[in-house]
PDB file of all heavy atoms in Angstrom:
ATOM      1  N   ALA N   7      78.078 117.558  26.909  1.00  0.00           N
ATOM      2  CA  ALA N   7      76.857 116.786  27.151  1.00  0.00           C
ATOM      3  C   ALA N   7      76.830 116.375  28.579  1.00  0.00           C
ATOM      4  O   ALA N   7      77.858 116.193  29.270  1.00  0.00           O
ATOM      5  CB  ALA N   7      76.841 115.585  26.228  1.00  0.00           C
ATOM      6  N   ALA N  24      86.399 110.570  18.118  1.00  0.00           N
ATOM      7  CA  ALA N  24      87.665 111.111  18.547  1.00  0.00           C
ATOM      8  C   ALA N  24      87.593 112.414  19.351  1.00  0.00           C
ATOM      9  O   ALA N  24      86.833 113.293  19.031  1.00  0.00           O
ATOM     10  CB  ALA N  24      88.578 111.288  17.276  1.00  0.00           C
ATOM     11  N   GLY N  31      84.905 116.667  38.294  1.00  0.00           N
ATOM     12  CA  GLY N  31      85.051 117.997  38.912  1.00  0.00           C
ATOM     13  C   GLY N  31      85.754 119.002  37.955  1.00  0.00           C
ATOM     14  O   GLY N  31      85.599 120.195  38.057  1.00  0.00           O
ATOM     15  N   GLY N  65      78.415  97.443  54.328  1.00  0.00           N
ATOM     16  CA  GLY N  65      78.698  96.100  53.937  1.00  0.00           C
ATOM     17  C   GLY N  65      80.096  95.565  54.284  1.00  0.00           C
ATOM     18  O   GLY N  65      80.679  96.147  55.220  1.00  0.00           O
ATOM     19  N   ALA N 100      95.190 119.139  48.244  1.00  0.00           N
ATOM     20  CA  ALA N 100      94.579 120.327  47.574  1.00  0.00           C
ATOM     21  C   ALA N 100      93.968 121.296  48.672  1.00  0.00           C
ATOM     22  O   ALA N 100      94.606 121.430  49.782  1.00  0.00           O
ATOM     23  CB  ALA N 100      93.469 119.894  46.619  1.00  0.00           C
ATOM     24  N   PHE N 123     106.208 118.946  32.183  1.00  0.00           N
ATOM     25  CA  PHE N 123     104.946 118.506  31.593  1.00  0.00           C
ATOM     26  C   PHE N 123     103.952 119.687  31.560  1.00  0.00           C
ATOM     27  O   PHE N 123     103.342 119.956  30.501  1.00  0.00           O
ATOM     28  CB  PHE N 123     104.372 117.358  32.332  1.00  0.00           C
ATOM     29  CG  PHE N 123     102.934 116.980  31.950  1.00  0.00           C
ATOM     30  CD1 PHE N 123     102.725 116.240  30.825  1.00  0.00           C
ATOM     31  CD2 PHE N 123     101.820 117.331  32.741  1.00  0.00           C
ATOM     32  CE1 PHE N 123     101.420 115.836  30.440  1.00  0.00           C
ATOM     33  CE2 PHE N 123     100.558 117.002  32.386  1.00  0.00           C
ATOM     34  CZ  PHE N 123     100.376 116.247  31.274  1.00  0.00           C
ATOM     35  N   ILE N 150     115.249 115.000  32.876  1.00  0.00           N
ATOM     36  CA  ILE N 150     116.392 114.119  33.059  1.00  0.00           C
ATOM     37  C   ILE N 150     117.558 115.023  32.748  1.00  0.00           C
ATOM     38  O   ILE N 150     117.779 115.470  31.605  1.00  0.00           O
ATOM     39  CB  ILE N 150     116.318 112.875  32.162  1.00  0.00           C
ATOM     40  CG1 ILE N 150     115.108 112.005  32.560  1.00  0.00           C
ATOM     41  CG2 ILE N 150     117.647 112.056  32.146  1.00  0.00           C
ATOM     42  CD1 ILE N 150     114.912 110.779  31.610  1.00  0.00           C
ATOM     43  N   MET N 181      95.608  99.854  50.774  1.00  0.00           N
ATOM     44  CA  MET N 181      94.453  99.142  51.370  1.00  0.00           C
ATOM     45  C   MET N 181      93.790  98.154  50.388  1.00  0.00           C
ATOM     46  O   MET N 181      92.700  97.756  50.621  1.00  0.00           O
ATOM     47  CB  MET N 181      93.432 100.211  51.858  1.00  0.00           C
ATOM     48  CG  MET N 181      93.974 101.150  52.895  1.00  0.00           C
ATOM     49  SD  MET N 181      94.833 100.372  54.235  1.00  0.00           S
ATOM     50  CE  MET N 181      93.468  99.748  55.186  1.00  0.00           C
ATOM     51  N   ASP N 182      94.460  97.844  49.302  1.00  0.00           N
ATOM     52  CA  ASP N 182      94.024  96.766  48.348  1.00  0.00           C
ATOM     53  C   ASP N 182      92.693  97.171  47.747  1.00  0.00           C
ATOM     54  O   ASP N 182      91.772  96.213  47.627  1.00  0.00           O
ATOM     55  CB  ASP N 182      93.958  95.417  49.066  1.00  0.00           C
ATOM     56  CG  ASP N 182      95.257  95.001  49.666  1.00  0.00           C
ATOM     57  OD1 ASP N 182      96.261  94.996  48.931  1.00  0.00           O
ATOM     58  OD2 ASP N 182      95.330  94.659  50.827  1.00  0.00           O
ATOM     59  N   ALA N 199      95.810  98.957  42.036  1.00  0.00           N
ATOM     60  CA  ALA N 199      97.223  98.870  41.635  1.00  0.00           C
ATOM     61  C   ALA N 199      97.358  98.551  40.163  1.00  0.00           C
ATOM     62  O   ALA N 199      98.431  98.884  39.546  1.00  0.00           O
ATOM     63  CB  ALA N 199      97.934  97.871  42.521  1.00  0.00           C
ATOM     64  N   TYR N 202      97.395 101.554  37.000  1.00  0.00           N
ATOM     65  CA  TYR N 202      98.545 102.451  36.689  1.00  0.00           C
ATOM     66  C   TYR N 202      99.646 101.710  35.882  1.00  0.00           C
ATOM     67  O   TYR N 202      99.882 100.523  36.201  1.00  0.00           O
ATOM     68  CB  TYR N 202      99.104 103.037  37.983  1.00  0.00           C
ATOM     69  CG  TYR N 202      98.122 103.842  38.667  1.00  0.00           C
ATOM     70  CD1 TYR N 202      97.298 103.320  39.658  1.00  0.00           C
ATOM     71  CD2 TYR N 202      97.915 105.210  38.294  1.00  0.00           C
ATOM     72  CE1 TYR N 202      96.340 104.130  40.304  1.00  0.00           C
ATOM     73  CE2 TYR N 202      96.915 105.991  38.890  1.00  0.00           C
ATOM     74  CZ  TYR N 202      96.176 105.426  39.899  1.00  0.00           C
ATOM     75  OH  TYR N 202      95.165 106.175  40.518  1.00  0.00           O
ATOM     76  N   ALA N 231      92.994  96.553  60.400  1.00  0.00           N
ATOM     77  CA  ALA N 231      94.225  97.313  60.279  1.00  0.00           C
ATOM     78  C   ALA N 231      93.957  98.812  60.033  1.00  0.00           C
ATOM     79  O   ALA N 231      94.798  99.670  60.246  1.00  0.00           O
ATOM     80  CB  ALA N 231      95.091  96.772  59.108  1.00  0.00           C
ATOM     81  N   PHE N 248     101.484 119.487  47.044  1.00  0.00           N
ATOM     82  CA  PHE N 248     101.579 118.093  46.731  1.00  0.00           C
ATOM     83  C   PHE N 248     102.719 117.541  47.530  1.00  0.00           C
ATOM     84  O   PHE N 248     103.551 118.187  48.064  1.00  0.00           O
ATOM     85  CB  PHE N 248     101.931 117.886  45.207  1.00  0.00           C
ATOM     86  CG  PHE N 248     100.741 118.144  44.336  1.00  0.00           C
ATOM     87  CD1 PHE N 248     100.401 119.383  43.919  1.00  0.00           C
ATOM     88  CD2 PHE N 248      99.889 117.089  44.037  1.00  0.00           C
ATOM     89  CE1 PHE N 248      99.331 119.619  43.071  1.00  0.00           C
ATOM     90  CE2 PHE N 248      98.776 117.259  43.240  1.00  0.00           C
ATOM     91  CZ  PHE N 248      98.522 118.521  42.784  1.00  0.00           C
ATOM     92  N   GLY N 273     104.572 110.614  46.143  1.00  0.00           N
ATOM     93  CA  GLY N 273     105.468 111.736  45.998  1.00  0.00           C
ATOM     94  C   GLY N 273     106.904 111.428  45.563  1.00  0.00           C
ATOM     95  O   GLY N 273     107.704 112.296  45.334  1.00  0.00           O
ATOM     96  N   ARG N 280     103.514 100.433  45.903  1.00  0.00           N
ATOM     97  CA  ARG N 280     103.433  99.491  47.054  1.00  0.00           C
ATOM     98  C   ARG N 280     104.834  99.106  47.462  1.00  0.00           C
ATOM     99  O   ARG N 280     105.722  98.968  46.546  1.00  0.00           O
ATOM    100  CB  ARG N 280     102.680  98.283  46.634  1.00  0.00           C
ATOM    101  CG  ARG N 280     102.300  97.330  47.799  1.00  0.00           C
ATOM    102  CD  ARG N 280     101.063  97.851  48.530  1.00  0.00           C
ATOM    103  NE  ARG N 280     100.661  97.039  49.640  1.00  0.00           N
ATOM    104  CZ  ARG N 280      99.524  96.406  49.813  1.00  0.00           C
ATOM    105  NH1 ARG N 280      98.635  96.364  48.877  1.00  0.00           N
ATOM    106  NH2 ARG N 280      99.334  95.719  50.941  1.00  0.00           N
ATOM    107  N   PRO N 282     106.404  96.162  49.106  1.00  0.00           N
ATOM    108  CA  PRO N 282     106.369  94.787  49.719  1.00  0.00           C
ATOM    109  C   PRO N 282     107.647  94.402  50.590  1.00  0.00           C
ATOM    110  O   PRO N 282     107.547  93.691  51.486  1.00  0.00           O
ATOM    111  CB  PRO N 282     106.225  93.844  48.529  1.00  0.00           C
ATOM    112  CG  PRO N 282     106.599  94.624  47.267  1.00  0.00           C
ATOM    113  CD  PRO N 282     106.312  96.058  47.658  1.00  0.00           C
ATOM    114  N   ALA N 284     109.316  96.421  52.498  1.00  0.00           N
ATOM    115  CA  ALA N 284     109.074  96.964  53.829  1.00  0.00           C
ATOM    116  C   ALA N 284     108.050  96.087  54.563  1.00  0.00           C
ATOM    117  O   ALA N 284     108.188  95.795  55.708  1.00  0.00           O
ATOM    118  CB  ALA N 284     108.592  98.386  53.722  1.00  0.00           C
ATOM    119  N   ALA N 323     112.430 107.311  53.266  1.00  0.00           N
ATOM    120  CA  ALA N 323     112.563 106.224  54.315  1.00  0.00           C
ATOM    121  C   ALA N 323     112.171 106.720  55.685  1.00  0.00           C
ATOM    122  O   ALA N 323     111.442 105.991  56.455  1.00  0.00           O
ATOM    123  CB  ALA N 323     114.025 105.873  54.352  1.00  0.00           C
ATOM    124  N   GLY N 335     100.925 103.723  67.182  1.00  0.00           N
ATOM    125  CA  GLY N 335     100.514 104.408  68.368  1.00  0.00           C
ATOM    126  C   GLY N 335      99.012 104.653  68.455  1.00  0.00           C
ATOM    127  O   GLY N 335      98.480 105.034  69.487  1.00  0.00           O
ATOM    128  N   THR N 337      95.285 103.611  69.037  1.00  0.00           N
ATOM    129  CA  THR N 337      94.629 102.541  69.764  1.00  0.00           C
ATOM    130  C   THR N 337      93.416 102.078  69.013  1.00  0.00           C
ATOM    131  O   THR N 337      92.728 102.793  68.318  1.00  0.00           O
ATOM    132  CB  THR N 337      94.193 102.980  71.163  1.00  0.00           C
ATOM    133  OG1 THR N 337      93.580 104.211  71.057  1.00  0.00           O
ATOM    134  CG2 THR N 337      95.354 103.107  72.079  1.00  0.00           C
TER     135      THR N 337
END
Side-chain angles (χ1 to χ4, degrees):
Chain N
F123 171 77
I150 296 174
M181 302 310 284
D182 304 306
Y202 298 93
F248 285 88
R280 191 83 186 239
T337 45

